[in-house]
Amino acid sequence: MPPMSAPPDLRTGTEGVDRRGALKLFAAGAAALATGCRPQEQMLPYVDMPESGASSDAAFFATALPLAGAARGVLVESHQGKPTKVHGNPDHPASLGGTDVFAEAELLALFDPSRSTSPIAGQAPVTWSAAAQRLRAAAGPGTALLTGPVASPTLARQIGALLDEVPGLRWFTERPAQPALEVQAGPGAMDRMQLWPDWDRTDVVVTLGADPLGPGPGQVALTRGWSRSRRNRRSAARLFAFEPVPTLTGTKADYRMAVRPEDLPGIAEALRAALDGGSDVPAPVARAAEALSAAPGRAVVLPGPDLPIETQALIDEINRTLDAPLARLAPAWRWPSLAQEDAGALTDAIASGEVERLVVLGANPAYTLGEAFEEAARDIEILHFGERRDETAAMAALHGPLHHPLEDWSDLRALDGSAALVQPLIEPLHETRSAHEVVEMLRGRTGTGPRALVQETWRAEWGEDFDARWHEALSRGVIEGFPVGTVSPDWPADTAVSETPDGAFAHVRQLSTSVLSGEYAPNGWLQECPAPLTKQVWGNAASFAPVDAERLGIEEGDTVVLRGGGTFARLPAVILSGQAEGTVGTTLGYGRKAAGAIGSGVGMNTAPLGPRVDVERVDGGAELIRTQREFGQHDRDLLRSVTDAEAGLESEHHQPASFYRERDHDSPSWGMVIDTDVCSGCNACMIACQSENNVPVVGPEEVARGRHMHWIRIDTYDLPGEDRRGFQPVPCMHCEKAPCEPACPVAASVHDEQGLNAQVYNRCVGTRFCQANCPYQVRRFNFFDYSDSQAYADLGADLLQAMRNPDVSVRGRGVMEKCTYCVQRIEAANHAASREDRPIADGEVVTACQSACPAEAITFGDVTDPESAVSRAKENPRHYALLEHLGTRPRTTYLARVAPGAEEDEGA
Amino acid sequence: MSEAYIPDARPGAITADVADPILKRGPGRIWWICLVVSLALTGLMVVSLVVLVTGGIGIWGINTSNVWGFALVHYVWWIGIGNAGTLISAMLLLTRQHWRTSINRFAEAMTLFAACIAGLFPIFHLGRPWLFYWLVPYPNTLGLVPQWRSPLVWDFFAIASYILFSLMFWYTGAIPDFATMRDRAKGKIAQIAYGILALGWRGSARHWKIWQSYYGAMAAMGVPLVVSVHSVVGMDYAAGIAPGWNVSIYPPYFVVGAMFSGFAVVVVLAAIFRRALNAAHMITDRHFDVMGKILLTGSLIMTVSYATEWFYAWYSGEHAEQRVVADQLWGDFWPIYWAMLLGNCIFPQLYWIPKMRTNLTATILIAIGINFGMWFERVVITVIPPARGFLPSQWSFYWPTFWDWSLFLGTLGFFTLLFTLFLRVIPAISAHEMKEHLGEEKRT
Amino acid sequence: MSRKLLLVFTEVAPMVAAVRSLRGEGVTGLDAHTPWRVPEIENALEPDGPGVRRAMLIGGALAASATFAFQAWSAVWFYPLDIGGRPLFSWPAFGFATFEMAILGAAVTGFVTMIRRCGLPRLNHPFFATAETEAATDDTLYLSVPEAAAPDRLRLSKLSGLQGIVEVDG
């Protein structure tokens, strides 16, 4: 047992107090419990408390979390003044009730012990008032303000005022992670537009290098829209993907064609020609064109971000011809009324001496702009404000820590143009300030808090109605009637052909599903969240088409060196069937140098390599750490496909008979159905489960040894006969005839009367026989005390104790654990129902994975009620049980993927 | 092979041969070397166990798919060796194979030591080893009892019964020899110690009658007990659902495997004792000849068992089962599997040649080969099936770490230590039984 | 205190002959002390049946039925649990512990019975009072005859193969 340690002082983060101090802290803690450490400023709980939730002391607050600047509305669950879980906000258009990995992981980011805790100048701590003085002195000509993408109307208002007040001050915006479907809409770097499909009116989608289901601020809403159109109008909905490197979108496409990036413009032209009646086009293009023209007003073509501007113009024209249900919106970060410059111009501005001082607010140019920036900016004064002491903070004369969004007041626009208020869930843990306050300091003002600044913005907007609308916006989590800006693209008449650098391979860079563009590198949950297609964790890789790999003699796990853009990256190789020949794919966001104990030195940064690279196989140096190494199904029919959703798998059921008498199951008895047809592999369920169930991180060395703790994993398999992979989320199956239970010598693994396969942690002695005997291998063993004394890196910090879900035990060393179907939520519903003397309603219990899933692929409920959603799903013809022939009678079952029929292929 | 199994000697000479190395002669240099080396390795075992308990079983190479690794490999390996002593002693007694008197005492000691070492692994491989007693049905405030359907509970009962049984069987057999030591010892301490161990044995006709009644009944129960113990060990796997484990041949195949590996160790130990005790007249070439034949029989049965597994896999039509066998034979795991076949099936065929059975060097090399083969067999059984489970997504492999190896080496050292001490304390050959059968061969 | 005469032999056959002849003369209370088991003497002396095996049978049966009953009771009535959908009364699974406990119960009962019937442990027997009996565990066989019942020494000295006579308290 670890020595009794005092609770940390949340405000200073100090540890190791004496006994007297500990007593004082206990007293303070008791006082904090009585009042809650929630901010005393008026916050408002969410108007409709979700029914599914946690125990009765939980409260929910609506707020918004930024990703690449843009908002996703969330509801944050709070226990005794501490946020413990992020849920989606059904009312917010960028969430619609779902979440993504980044939103779920913000909780860990809030309590992260590697956050910066107080202002510092060089190595010396300074006060915020000293920092404010330096900021004020810095505001003047020759000063540049560099921000991340600013989607906050209040911050934009403040910056506008600042630009007015300080002539000669320039504002640069850094956008390392560009949202999906944000494309060029004119000649300038700031001429961008956000395409936003209306999924209710969209049947046929053709993507040309676009990845709407991939990571980014639009992922949740786009996945939900796509999955609903696919589920509700299966016969009409078709997705065609033309892309160089497999993306989540391409993986879910009905038809997919691997195309080199340089050939994508040609595909667009062929598509145009086919739509015009031309016949001399490749068959896949002809098929896509046929589908497009067969769905007038219900078809869209979605361009990728890297297409040349004339191709963008061509696709825009096709969409207009098709009368595509597609909005052309101003990006959330774009403020046309303000003088806004792209960060790409910053390095030159510094090098030329135009910029002598740099105030960085929530950006990290030393990483995103690379070595050129570091060279140029070495001699100028940098004042850095951010949540962490990152690479830029290391160069800065002054660093001031910013609030985490869960500690801050603000407002944020979403990709669709809607706006929401951001309200704090907890008093700031450290000596941090809001970005709003920092801008005020630049303006020479202090004393106004972020809440007042935000209210000022909206008071001006709403006038008389302010009180009611403020109340409404906070309790709903979305601002009604906010005007949405649209863009009319301005296509240049002719464009200069940009020079293509040398290099044998086209280099396709994608945003990371784990760390996006590097800002989430310090987050342990995300570093250990596997890349959907390769299952790599704790790093990035270079992916190759099988033909290229064979030609270069590369096998999976070998080390390759990519050279381009005057630099190189040493990466492990992976081989992806379905990748275009002559391309190498990498993910961005790795190779951070100052990302805390978790993220520093993980992977390599491939952004500077440029669009073309040379590849060389070398001996060793990069390790491929994965949670799954074998992707073949070996004829085991694990991830099934049907070509006709109506006929389904009816004929294939072969559940064996059992020696044992069937048990009667009392109501409720729980079960789950997972629809593999719409699962897009986004991993949101994994991180949601990790957050809900206090699942620890094990670290790269442990994963390399084959250990991992995720209660729900997503198996990725090659689809037989297709050059792509599919996804199969695997939580505990809660088998009725669970093989794990008879294996346990101490009855730590038992069935309860609600049909749950329960694991009794305090009874478990750790024989691991249950794990050996689980054919689905969903059981997870605490080989070490991963949650506390033997945690990876700094994840055992006392501060993280505050993040735990109080309704779920934290498991110690030597104990088996696994998915419980979120039994704490079931019990909360049981209590609520018995208080009101009624049965639990269908849909009242929502598991964490189900609630997070943006594709609504997971159905959960009472299988003894024939009317419940889960029972109806089990009647679906596509329904099947994994490894059914073993006779385990799993309660978690699947719906098969629907592949386009053979007739359709021939017809096209 | 004109030699007899039983030496042609006077009873007094047997007493001297058995007792004097302990009571009269000094330990000798080799003994001291053995003691120091085995003490050092025992120290390694203790360190490994301390690190294991303080650090957690994560120090081993086991992982989410390969949950057992060396802990169970060595549990099965040791318990296999541990099964032979009692089996040999009991079965040969029942079938009146009087040559057993040369080997049964140390074979039973081997059983006892190996079974105790084997018993360490199931306890220390637990995630929370300090709670191992939860497998015992004892009155507790939780009102909980063990879960009787678990093969691990069966295993617990089997191993505990087996160790206690073996101890009683071995001790009962040794009481008359303790009396001999008591009466022959000159030192006060030895007289008292052996006096207590002998319990006042006077060798009266009544004693012998009662003793024989019990000893014979124990031998009769020992055979089914040994069979049940290793069947239960086989059930630890066979009651599981994993492909490669869920095979009904496991219980009998484990029993034969245990007998096979145990006999191989007996051969090696017999050769060592023959040298150490200068006892070529008591452990004769004929002993090695007959033990060679038994090992050959064991090897043939093992070969048939392996072939049966291949057949099962093919006949079951289960992809997962077939994949495990294919990966063993010519897939990723072929080196382990072929090392097993080499040691267990191929080399022992040399025993068909009579000279190989009586040539001590050859017979020891083959027996050591069998022990390697059986070790690899336990690796094959414990490590490969979970590495090739039903869901390919979870396929992974187990690589032992330093602490995996150190614990194994440590237990080998501990076993050696126990035997080194045994040689200096306890009559290694059953003198009273040998005297009983003196001259028998001449008479018949 | 009765004294006993120990007739010393070094070979089995004359001792067996001596036993037969003494018994033929009606001498009772004979016993033998031999370094190894001599079945012929056991047969000639006809001591009572040891009763060890009957005790083992009873002990084993009791242990087995108690073990089985305890398993069934605890699994069905005392703490019934749904374990993988298996029946509460999983009698085949209960068989293993039952069998092991039967053997162990028999072994322990037998051991205790053996010790008790042999009158052991008894570390201070008059038999040990003289150093001359130390060879009784080495290579010498002793036939003990109660002095009261023994024929005269002359008769005894005529027994073939007799190596000597030792007197001990009995």
Side-chain angles (χ1 to χ4, degrees), chain A residues 660-661 663 736-739 741-742 747 749-751, chain C residues 79-90 92:
Chain A
Y660 309 125
R661 202 181 318 135
R663 279 181 186 253
E736 286 175 14
K737 301 203 182 303
E741 292 175 11
S749 175
V750 292
H751 245 68
Chain C
Y79 209 135
L81 283 167
D82 179 354
I83 302 290
R86 309 307 195 257
L88 291 179
F89 185 58
S90 301

Short mmCIF file of all heavy atoms in Angstrom, two decimals, chain A residues 660-661 663 736-739 741-742 747 749-751, chain C residues 79-90 92:
data_model
loop_
_atom_site.label_atom_id
_atom_site.label_comp_id
_atom_site.label_asym_id
_atom_site.label_seq_id
_atom_site.Cartn_x
_atom_site.Cartn_y
_atom_site.Cartn_z
N TYR A 660 -27.44 -27.83 -21.15
CA TYR A 660 -28.04 -27.24 -19.95
C TYR A 660 -29.41 -26.66 -20.25
O TYR A 660 -29.66 -26.13 -21.33
CB TYR A 660 -27.13 -26.15 -19.40
CG TYR A 660 -25.72 -26.61 -19.22
CD1 TYR A 660 -24.66 -25.95 -19.81
CD2 TYR A 660 -25.45 -27.76 -18.48
CE1 TYR A 660 -23.36 -26.40 -19.64
CE2 TYR A 660 -24.16 -28.22 -18.32
CZ TYR A 660 -23.12 -27.54 -18.90
OH TYR A 660 -21.85 -27.99 -18.75
N ARG A 661 -30.25 -26.73 -19.25
CA ARG A 661 -31.59 -26.17 -19.39
C ARG A 661 -31.48 -24.65 -19.55
O ARG A 661 -30.62 -24.02 -18.94
CB ARG A 661 -32.41 -26.51 -18.15
CG ARG A 661 -33.90 -26.45 -18.40
CD ARG A 661 -34.68 -26.76 -17.13
NE ARG A 661 -34.11 -27.87 -16.37
CZ ARG A 661 -33.95 -27.82 -15.04
NH1 ARG A 661 -34.29 -26.77 -14.35
NH2 ARG A 661 -33.44 -28.86 -14.41
N ARG A 663 -32.09 -20.94 -18.86
CA ARG A 663 -32.52 -20.20 -17.68
C ARG A 663 -33.57 -19.18 -18.08
O ARG A 663 -33.53 -18.62 -19.17
CB ARG A 663 -31.33 -19.47 -17.07
CG ARG A 663 -30.48 -20.38 -16.22
CD ARG A 663 -29.33 -19.64 -15.62
NE ARG A 663 -28.49 -20.61 -14.93
CZ ARG A 663 -28.41 -20.73 -13.61
NH1 ARG A 663 -29.08 -19.93 -12.84
NH2 ARG A 663 -27.65 -21.64 -13.05
N GLU A 736 -24.44 -15.54 -22.19
CA GLU A 736 -25.33 -16.22 -21.25
C GLU A 736 -24.65 -17.47 -20.70
O GLU A 736 -24.86 -17.85 -19.55
CB GLU A 736 -26.64 -16.59 -21.94
CG GLU A 736 -27.52 -15.38 -22.18
CD GLU A 736 -28.77 -15.71 -22.98
OE1 GLU A 736 -29.10 -16.90 -23.14
OE2 GLU A 736 -29.41 -14.75 -23.46
N LYS A 737 -23.90 -18.14 -21.55
CA LYS A 737 -23.14 -19.30 -21.08
C LYS A 737 -21.67 -18.94 -21.12
O LYS A 737 -20.88 -19.48 -21.90
CB LYS A 737 -23.44 -20.51 -21.95
CG LYS A 737 -24.93 -20.85 -21.95
CD LYS A 737 -25.21 -22.27 -22.31
CE LYS A 737 -26.70 -22.57 -22.35
NZ LYS A 737 -27.39 -22.27 -21.10
N ALA A 738 -21.32 -18.01 -20.26
CA ALA A 738 -19.99 -17.41 -20.31
C ALA A 738 -18.92 -18.42 -19.95
O ALA A 738 -18.96 -19.00 -18.87
CB ALA A 738 -19.93 -16.23 -19.36
N PRO A 739 -17.96 -18.65 -20.84
CA PRO A 739 -16.89 -19.61 -20.52
C PRO A 739 -15.95 -19.10 -19.43
O PRO A 739 -15.26 -19.88 -18.80
CB PRO A 739 -16.13 -19.77 -21.84
CG PRO A 739 -16.78 -18.90 -22.83
CD PRO A 739 -17.83 -18.08 -22.17
N GLU A 741 -16.76 -17.74 -16.61
CA GLU A 741 -17.26 -17.87 -15.24
C GLU A 741 -16.91 -19.22 -14.58
O GLU A 741 -16.42 -19.23 -13.46
CB GLU A 741 -18.77 -17.61 -15.20
CG GLU A 741 -19.07 -16.15 -15.51
CD GLU A 741 -20.56 -15.85 -15.59
OE1 GLU A 741 -21.37 -16.72 -15.21
OE2 GLU A 741 -20.91 -14.75 -16.05
N PRO A 742 -17.15 -20.35 -15.26
CA PRO A 742 -16.78 -21.60 -14.59
C PRO A 742 -15.27 -21.71 -14.38
O PRO A 742 -14.83 -22.53 -13.58
CB PRO A 742 -17.25 -22.69 -15.56
CG PRO A 742 -18.16 -22.03 -16.51
CD PRO A 742 -17.77 -20.59 -16.57
N ALA A 747 -15.11 -17.56 -7.71
CA ALA A 747 -16.41 -16.95 -8.03
C ALA A 747 -16.31 -15.43 -8.10
O ALA A 747 -17.19 -14.72 -7.63
CB ALA A 747 -17.48 -17.38 -7.05
N SER A 749 -16.03 -14.09 -11.06
CA SER A 749 -16.69 -13.85 -12.33
C SER A 749 -18.02 -14.59 -12.30
O SER A 749 -18.04 -15.82 -12.33
CB SER A 749 -15.80 -14.35 -13.47
OG SER A 749 -16.47 -14.23 -14.69
N VAL A 750 -19.10 -13.84 -12.19
CA VAL A 750 -20.41 -14.47 -12.00
C VAL A 750 -21.45 -13.73 -12.84
O VAL A 750 -21.23 -12.62 -13.30
CB VAL A 750 -20.86 -14.41 -10.52
CG1 VAL A 750 -19.98 -15.29 -9.66
CG2 VAL A 750 -20.85 -13.00 -10.01
N HIS A 751 -22.58 -14.39 -13.01
CA HIS A 751 -23.70 -13.73 -13.67
C HIS A 751 -24.61 -13.12 -12.62
O HIS A 751 -24.84 -13.73 -11.57
CB HIS A 751 -24.48 -14.74 -14.50
CG HIS A 751 -24.41 -14.45 -15.96
ND1 HIS A 751 -23.23 -14.57 -16.67
CD2 HIS A 751 -25.34 -14.01 -16.84
CE1 HIS A 751 -23.45 -14.23 -17.92
NE2 HIS A 751 -24.71 -13.88 -18.06
N TYR C 79 -25.01 -20.71 -1.14
CA TYR C 79 -24.67 -19.50 -1.91
C TYR C 79 -24.84 -19.81 -3.39
O TYR C 79 -23.87 -19.95 -4.12
CB TYR C 79 -23.22 -19.08 -1.62
CG TYR C 79 -22.97 -17.60 -1.76
CD1 TYR C 79 -22.24 -16.90 -0.81
CD2 TYR C 79 -23.46 -16.89 -2.86
CE1 TYR C 79 -22.01 -15.54 -0.93
CE2 TYR C 79 -23.24 -15.55 -2.98
CZ TYR C 79 -22.51 -14.87 -2.02
OH TYR C 79 -22.28 -13.53 -2.15
N PRO C 80 -26.09 -19.94 -3.84
CA PRO C 80 -26.29 -20.27 -5.26
C PRO C 80 -25.90 -19.09 -6.15
O PRO C 80 -26.30 -17.96 -5.90
CB PRO C 80 -27.79 -20.57 -5.34
CG PRO C 80 -28.40 -19.90 -4.16
CD PRO C 80 -27.35 -19.78 -3.10
N LEU C 81 -25.11 -19.37 -7.15
CA LEU C 81 -24.68 -18.34 -8.10
C LEU C 81 -24.88 -18.86 -9.52
O LEU C 81 -24.71 -20.05 -9.78
CB LEU C 81 -23.19 -18.03 -7.91
CG LEU C 81 -22.77 -17.17 -6.72
CD1 LEU C 81 -21.27 -17.25 -6.52
CD2 LEU C 81 -23.21 -15.74 -6.90
N ASP C 82 -25.23 -17.95 -10.41
CA ASP C 82 -25.31 -18.32 -11.83
C ASP C 82 -23.89 -18.25 -12.40
O ASP C 82 -23.36 -17.17 -12.62
CB ASP C 82 -26.24 -17.35 -12.56
CG ASP C 82 -26.34 -17.67 -14.06
OD1 ASP C 82 -25.60 -18.56 -14.53
OD2 ASP C 82 -27.16 -17.04 -14.74
N ILE C 83 -23.30 -19.41 -12.57
CA ILE C 83 -21.93 -19.46 -13.09
C ILE C 83 -21.99 -19.95 -14.53
O ILE C 83 -22.17 -21.13 -14.80
CB ILE C 83 -21.06 -20.42 -12.25
CG1 ILE C 83 -21.02 -19.99 -10.79
CG2 ILE C 83 -19.66 -20.53 -12.83
CD1 ILE C 83 -20.26 -18.72 -10.51
N GLY C 84 -21.91 -19.02 -15.44
CA GLY C 84 -21.87 -19.35 -16.86
C GLY C 84 -23.06 -20.16 -17.34
O GLY C 84 -22.95 -20.97 -18.25
N GLY C 85 -24.21 -19.97 -16.68
CA GLY C 85 -25.41 -20.68 -17.11
C GLY C 85 -25.39 -22.15 -16.79
O GLY C 85 -26.24 -22.91 -17.24
N ARG C 86 -24.41 -22.60 -15.99
CA ARG C 86 -24.34 -24.02 -15.64
C ARG C 86 -25.36 -24.31 -14.54
O ARG C 86 -25.70 -23.41 -13.76
CB ARG C 86 -22.94 -24.40 -15.14
CG ARG C 86 -21.77 -23.99 -16.02
CD ARG C 86 -21.90 -24.45 -17.46
NE ARG C 86 -20.64 -24.36 -18.18
CZ ARG C 86 -20.32 -23.41 -19.04
NH1 ARG C 86 -21.16 -22.43 -19.30
NH2 ARG C 86 -19.15 -23.43 -19.66
N PRO C 87 -25.82 -25.57 -14.44
CA PRO C 87 -26.77 -25.90 -13.38
C PRO C 87 -26.13 -25.71 -12.00
O PRO C 87 -24.91 -25.86 -11.86
CB PRO C 87 -27.08 -27.38 -13.62
CG PRO C 87 -26.58 -27.69 -14.97
CD PRO C 87 -25.51 -26.71 -15.30
N LEU C 88 -26.95 -25.39 -11.01
CA LEU C 88 -26.41 -25.22 -9.67
C LEU C 88 -25.80 -26.52 -9.17
O LEU C 88 -24.74 -26.54 -8.56
CB LEU C 88 -27.51 -24.76 -8.71
CG LEU C 88 -28.04 -23.34 -8.93
CD1 LEU C 88 -29.14 -23.03 -7.94
CD2 LEU C 88 -26.94 -22.31 -8.82
N PHE C 89 -26.53 -27.62 -9.43
CA PHE C 89 -26.03 -28.92 -8.99
C PHE C 89 -25.16 -29.51 -10.11
O PHE C 89 -25.59 -30.38 -10.86
CB PHE C 89 -27.22 -29.83 -8.64
CG PHE C 89 -26.78 -31.16 -8.06
CD1 PHE C 89 -26.00 -31.23 -6.93
CD2 PHE C 89 -27.17 -32.34 -8.68
CE1 PHE C 89 -25.61 -32.45 -6.42
CE2 PHE C 89 -26.79 -33.57 -8.17
CZ PHE C 89 -26.00 -33.62 -7.03
N SER C 90 -23.94 -29.00 -10.22
CA SER C 90 -23.04 -29.45 -11.29
C SER C 90 -22.26 -30.67 -10.81
O SER C 90 -21.06 -30.61 -10.59
CB SER C 90 -22.06 -28.34 -11.66
OG SER C 90 -22.73 -27.19 -12.09
N PRO C 92 -21.00 -33.45 -12.01
CA PRO C 92 -19.74 -33.99 -12.57
C PRO C 92 -18.53 -33.16 -12.11
O PRO C 92 -17.47 -33.71 -11.82
CB PRO C 92 -19.94 -33.88 -14.08
CG PRO C 92 -21.41 -33.76 -14.29
CD PRO C 92 -21.92 -33.03 -13.09
#
